Short mmCIF file of all heavy atoms in Angstrom, two decimals:
data_model
loop_
_atom_site.label_atom_id
_atom_site.label_comp_id
_atom_site.label_asym_id
_atom_site.label_seq_id
_atom_site.Cartn_x
_atom_site.Cartn_y
_atom_site.Cartn_z
N GLU C 1 93.44 104.00 95.24
CA GLU C 1 94.56 103.56 96.06
C GLU C 1 94.13 103.26 97.48
O GLU C 1 94.58 102.28 98.08
CB GLU C 1 95.65 104.63 96.07
CG GLU C 1 96.38 104.78 94.74
CD GLU C 1 97.35 105.94 94.74
OE1 GLU C 1 97.51 106.58 95.80
OE2 GLU C 1 97.96 106.21 93.69
N GLN C 2 93.23 104.10 98.02
CA GLN C 2 92.73 103.88 99.38
C GLN C 2 91.94 102.58 99.46
O GLN C 2 92.08 101.81 100.42
CB GLN C 2 91.84 105.05 99.81
CG GLN C 2 91.26 104.92 101.21
CD GLN C 2 92.31 104.99 102.29
OE1 GLN C 2 93.41 105.50 102.05
NE2 GLN C 2 92.01 104.47 103.47
N GLU C 3 91.10 102.32 98.45
CA GLU C 3 90.32 101.08 98.43
C GLU C 3 91.23 99.86 98.36
O GLU C 3 91.00 98.87 99.04
CB GLU C 3 89.34 101.10 97.26
CG GLU C 3 88.19 102.09 97.42
CD GLU C 3 87.30 102.15 96.20
OE1 GLU C 3 87.73 101.64 95.13
OE2 GLU C 3 86.19 102.69 96.31
N GLN C 4 92.26 99.94 97.53
CA GLN C 4 93.19 98.82 97.39
C GLN C 4 93.96 98.60 98.68
O GLN C 4 94.20 97.46 99.09
CB GLN C 4 94.15 99.09 96.24
CG GLN C 4 93.49 99.04 94.87
CD GLN C 4 94.46 99.42 93.75
OE1 GLN C 4 95.64 99.64 93.98
NE2 GLN C 4 93.93 99.51 92.54
N ARG C 5 94.35 99.70 99.35
CA ARG C 5 95.09 99.59 100.61
C ARG C 5 94.22 98.95 101.68
O ARG C 5 94.67 98.07 102.42
CB ARG C 5 95.57 100.96 101.06
CG ARG C 5 96.42 100.90 102.33
CD ARG C 5 97.22 102.17 102.52
NE ARG C 5 96.40 103.36 102.54
CZ ARG C 5 96.38 104.26 101.56
NH1 ARG C 5 97.12 104.08 100.48
NH2 ARG C 5 95.62 105.33 101.64
N CYS C 6 92.96 99.40 101.77
CA CYS C 6 92.05 98.82 102.76
C CYS C 6 91.80 97.34 102.49
O CYS C 6 91.75 96.53 103.42
CB CYS C 6 90.71 99.57 102.76
SG CYS C 6 90.79 101.18 103.57
N LYS C 7 91.65 96.99 101.20
CA LYS C 7 91.43 95.59 100.85
C LYS C 7 92.63 94.74 101.23
O LYS C 7 92.50 93.63 101.75
CB LYS C 7 91.15 95.47 99.35
CG LYS C 7 90.78 94.05 98.92
CD LYS C 7 90.39 94.01 97.45
CE LYS C 7 89.97 92.60 97.03
NZ LYS C 7 89.57 92.54 95.60
N ALA C 8 93.84 95.27 100.98
CA ALA C 8 95.06 94.55 101.34
C ALA C 8 95.16 94.38 102.86
O ALA C 8 95.56 93.32 103.35
CB ALA C 8 96.29 95.29 100.81
N GLU C 9 94.80 95.43 103.61
CA GLU C 9 94.86 95.35 105.07
C GLU C 9 93.86 94.34 105.60
O GLU C 9 94.16 93.55 106.50
CB GLU C 9 94.59 96.73 105.68
CG GLU C 9 95.74 97.71 105.47
CD GLU C 9 95.39 99.12 105.91
OE1 GLU C 9 94.19 99.43 106.00
OE2 GLU C 9 96.32 99.91 106.15
N LEU C 10 92.65 94.33 105.02
CA LEU C 10 91.64 93.37 105.44
C LEU C 10 92.09 91.94 105.15
O LEU C 10 91.89 91.03 105.96
CB LEU C 10 90.31 93.66 104.73
CG LEU C 10 89.52 94.85 105.26
CD1 LEU C 10 88.42 95.21 104.28
CD2 LEU C 10 88.93 94.54 106.62
N THR C 11 92.70 91.75 103.97
CA THR C 11 93.19 90.42 103.62
C THR C 11 94.26 89.97 104.60
O THR C 11 94.27 88.82 105.07
CB THR C 11 93.75 90.41 102.19
OG1 THR C 11 92.72 90.80 101.29
CG2 THR C 11 94.28 89.04 101.81
N ALA C 12 95.18 90.88 104.93
CA ALA C 12 96.25 90.54 105.88
C ALA C 12 95.69 90.20 107.25
O ALA C 12 96.12 89.25 107.90
CB ALA C 12 97.23 91.71 105.99
N LEU C 13 94.70 90.97 107.69
CA LEU C 13 94.09 90.72 108.99
C LEU C 13 93.38 89.38 109.01
O LEU C 13 93.45 88.63 109.99
CB LEU C 13 93.11 91.86 109.33
CG LEU C 13 93.76 93.20 109.67
CD1 LEU C 13 92.69 94.28 109.73
CD2 LEU C 13 94.50 93.12 110.98
N GLN C 14 92.67 89.06 107.93
CA GLN C 14 91.96 87.79 107.89
C GLN C 14 92.95 86.62 107.84
O GLN C 14 92.70 85.57 108.42
CB GLN C 14 91.03 87.74 106.69
CG GLN C 14 90.01 86.60 106.78
CD GLN C 14 88.83 86.82 105.85
OE1 GLN C 14 88.98 87.34 104.76
NE2 GLN C 14 87.67 86.41 106.29
N MET C 15 94.08 86.81 107.17
CA MET C 15 95.09 85.76 107.13
C MET C 15 95.67 85.51 108.51
O MET C 15 96.18 84.42 108.81
CB MET C 15 96.20 86.14 106.15
CG MET C 15 95.80 86.01 104.69
SD MET C 15 95.23 84.33 104.26
CE MET C 15 96.76 83.43 104.46
N GLN C 16 95.64 86.51 109.40
CA GLN C 16 96.09 86.30 110.77
C GLN C 16 95.16 85.34 111.50
O GLN C 16 95.59 84.49 112.26
CB GLN C 16 96.13 87.63 111.54
CG GLN C 16 97.26 88.55 111.12
CD GLN C 16 97.21 89.86 111.89
OE1 GLN C 16 96.33 90.09 112.71
NE2 GLN C 16 98.18 90.72 111.64
N ILE C 17 93.87 85.49 111.27
CA ILE C 17 92.89 84.66 111.98
C ILE C 17 92.95 83.22 111.50
O ILE C 17 92.92 82.29 112.29
CB ILE C 17 91.47 85.21 111.79
CG1 ILE C 17 91.15 86.18 112.92
CG2 ILE C 17 90.43 84.11 111.81
CD1 ILE C 17 89.73 86.62 113.00
N ASN C 18 93.03 82.98 110.21
CA ASN C 18 92.91 81.62 109.69
C ASN C 18 93.96 80.66 110.25
O ASN C 18 93.61 79.58 110.72
CB ASN C 18 92.95 81.64 108.16
CG ASN C 18 91.68 82.25 107.57
OD1 ASN C 18 90.65 82.26 108.22
ND2 ASN C 18 91.78 82.75 106.36
N PRO C 19 95.26 80.99 110.24
CA PRO C 19 96.24 80.08 110.83
C PRO C 19 96.00 79.88 112.33
O PRO C 19 96.14 78.76 112.83
CB PRO C 19 97.58 80.77 110.57
CG PRO C 19 97.33 81.65 109.41
CD PRO C 19 95.92 82.13 109.57
N HIS C 20 95.67 80.96 113.02
CA HIS C 20 95.40 80.86 114.47
C HIS C 20 94.32 79.83 114.75
O HIS C 20 94.46 78.98 115.63
CB HIS C 20 94.98 82.24 114.98
CG HIS C 20 94.57 82.27 116.41
ND1 HIS C 20 95.46 82.06 117.44
CD2 HIS C 20 93.37 82.49 116.99
CE1 HIS C 20 94.81 82.14 118.60
NE2 HIS C 20 93.55 82.40 118.33
N PHE C 21 93.25 79.86 113.98
CA PHE C 21 92.16 78.92 114.15
C PHE C 21 92.57 77.50 113.74
O PHE C 21 92.28 76.52 114.42
CB PHE C 21 90.95 79.38 113.34
CG PHE C 21 89.88 78.33 113.18
CD1 PHE C 21 89.12 77.94 114.26
CD2 PHE C 21 89.68 77.72 111.96
CE1 PHE C 21 88.15 76.96 114.12
CE2 PHE C 21 88.72 76.75 111.80
CZ PHE C 21 87.94 76.36 112.89
N LEU C 22 93.27 77.41 112.62
CA LEU C 22 93.64 76.10 112.10
C LEU C 22 94.58 75.36 113.04
O LEU C 22 94.45 74.14 113.24
CB LEU C 22 94.30 76.25 110.73
CG LEU C 22 93.36 76.56 109.56
CD1 LEU C 22 94.18 76.84 108.30
CD2 LEU C 22 92.42 75.39 109.31
N TYR C 23 95.53 76.07 113.63
CA TYR C 23 96.47 75.42 114.54
C TYR C 23 95.73 74.77 115.71
O TYR C 23 96.02 73.63 116.09
CB TYR C 23 97.49 76.43 115.07
CG TYR C 23 98.38 77.04 114.01
CD1 TYR C 23 98.91 78.31 114.18
CD2 TYR C 23 98.67 76.36 112.83
CE1 TYR C 23 99.72 78.88 113.21
CE2 TYR C 23 99.47 76.94 111.85
CZ TYR C 23 100.00 78.19 112.05
OH TYR C 23 100.79 78.77 111.09
N ASN C 24 94.77 75.52 116.28
CA ASN C 24 94.01 74.99 117.42
C ASN C 24 93.16 73.79 117.01
O ASN C 24 93.05 72.81 117.76
CB ASN C 24 93.13 76.08 118.02
CG ASN C 24 93.94 77.13 118.75
OD1 ASN C 24 95.04 76.87 119.21
ND2 ASN C 24 93.40 78.34 118.83
N THR C 25 92.56 73.87 115.83
CA THR C 25 91.70 72.77 115.38
C THR C 25 92.51 71.52 115.10
O THR C 25 92.12 70.41 115.49
CB THR C 25 90.93 73.18 114.11
OG1 THR C 25 90.19 74.37 114.38
CG2 THR C 25 89.98 72.08 113.67
N LEU C 26 93.64 71.67 114.45
CA LEU C 26 94.48 70.52 114.15
C LEU C 26 95.02 69.90 115.45
O LEU C 26 95.18 68.67 115.53
CB LEU C 26 95.63 70.92 113.23
CG LEU C 26 95.20 71.30 111.81
CD1 LEU C 26 96.39 71.84 111.01
CD2 LEU C 26 94.60 70.11 111.09
N SER C 27 95.27 70.71 116.45
CA SER C 27 95.68 70.18 117.75
C SER C 27 94.58 69.32 118.35
O SER C 27 94.85 68.27 118.96
CB SER C 27 96.03 71.33 118.71
OG SER C 27 97.17 72.02 118.27
N SER C 28 93.32 69.75 118.18
CA SER C 28 92.19 68.97 118.68
C SER C 28 92.11 67.62 117.97
O SER C 28 91.89 66.58 118.61
CB SER C 28 90.88 69.73 118.46
OG SER C 28 90.87 70.94 119.18
N ILE C 29 92.27 67.62 116.65
CA ILE C 29 92.21 66.38 115.89
C ILE C 29 93.35 65.44 116.30
O ILE C 29 93.16 64.22 116.45
CB ILE C 29 92.25 66.68 114.38
CG1 ILE C 29 90.98 67.44 113.97
CG2 ILE C 29 92.39 65.40 113.57
CD1 ILE C 29 91.01 67.97 112.55
N LYS C 30 94.53 66.00 116.52
CA LYS C 30 95.68 65.19 116.95
C LYS C 30 95.39 64.54 118.31
O LYS C 30 95.68 63.36 118.51
CB LYS C 30 96.92 66.09 117.05
CG LYS C 30 98.18 65.35 117.49
CD LYS C 30 99.36 66.31 117.55
CE LYS C 30 100.61 65.60 118.04
NZ LYS C 30 101.77 66.54 118.12
N TYR C 31 94.79 65.32 119.22
CA TYR C 31 94.45 64.79 120.54
C TYR C 31 93.45 63.65 120.42
O TYR C 31 93.61 62.59 121.05
CB TYR C 31 93.87 65.91 121.40
CG TYR C 31 93.26 65.44 122.70
CD1 TYR C 31 94.07 65.12 123.78
CD2 TYR C 31 91.88 65.30 122.83
CE1 TYR C 31 93.51 64.68 124.97
CE2 TYR C 31 91.32 64.86 124.00
CZ TYR C 31 92.14 64.55 125.07
OH TYR C 31 91.59 64.11 126.25
N LEU C 32 92.40 63.82 119.61
CA LEU C 32 91.39 62.78 119.43
C LEU C 32 92.00 61.52 118.82
O LEU C 32 91.65 60.40 119.21
CB LEU C 32 90.26 63.29 118.53
CG LEU C 32 89.36 64.37 119.10
CD1 LEU C 32 88.43 64.91 118.02
CD2 LEU C 32 88.55 63.84 120.27
N ALA C 33 92.88 61.71 117.86
CA ALA C 33 93.51 60.55 117.22
C ALA C 33 94.33 59.76 118.22
O ALA C 33 94.31 58.52 118.23
CB ALA C 33 94.38 61.02 116.06
N LYS C 34 95.05 60.46 119.09
CA LYS C 34 95.83 59.78 120.12
C LYS C 34 94.95 58.99 121.08
O LYS C 34 95.34 57.95 121.59
CB LYS C 34 96.67 60.80 120.90
CG LYS C 34 97.87 61.32 120.15
CD LYS C 34 98.70 62.26 121.03
CE LYS C 34 99.96 62.70 120.31
NZ LYS C 34 100.79 63.61 121.15
N GLN C 35 93.74 59.51 121.32
CA GLN C 35 92.78 58.84 122.19
C GLN C 35 91.99 57.77 121.46
O GLN C 35 91.14 57.11 122.06
CB GLN C 35 91.82 59.88 122.79
CG GLN C 35 92.48 60.93 123.67
CD GLN C 35 93.04 60.33 124.95
OE1 GLN C 35 92.39 59.52 125.60
NE2 GLN C 35 94.25 60.75 125.31
#
């Protein structure tokens, strides 16, 4: 149960990073396209 809980927490934490990074990157691509 502890291993499963830790794995779930790690997955949740990593999911926090991915959207944060993607939003910034897509904003960069949008800026370049406008230019």
Side-chain angles (χ1 to χ4, degrees):
E1 290 175 4
Q2 180 67 21
E3 289 176 345
Q4 291 175 5
R5 183 162 56 250
C6 285
K7 185 174 182 180
E9 289 172 340
L10 284 167
T11 300
L13 288 169
Q14 194 161 36
M15 286 303 293
Q16 288 178 358
I17 268 190
N18 289 337
H20 175 68
F21 166 70
L22 285 173
Y23 297 152
N24 289 334
T25 304
L26 292 174
S27 294
S28 298
I29 294 171
K30 180 180 178 181
Y31 170 79
L32 291 172
K34 285 184 176 180
Q35 297 293 316

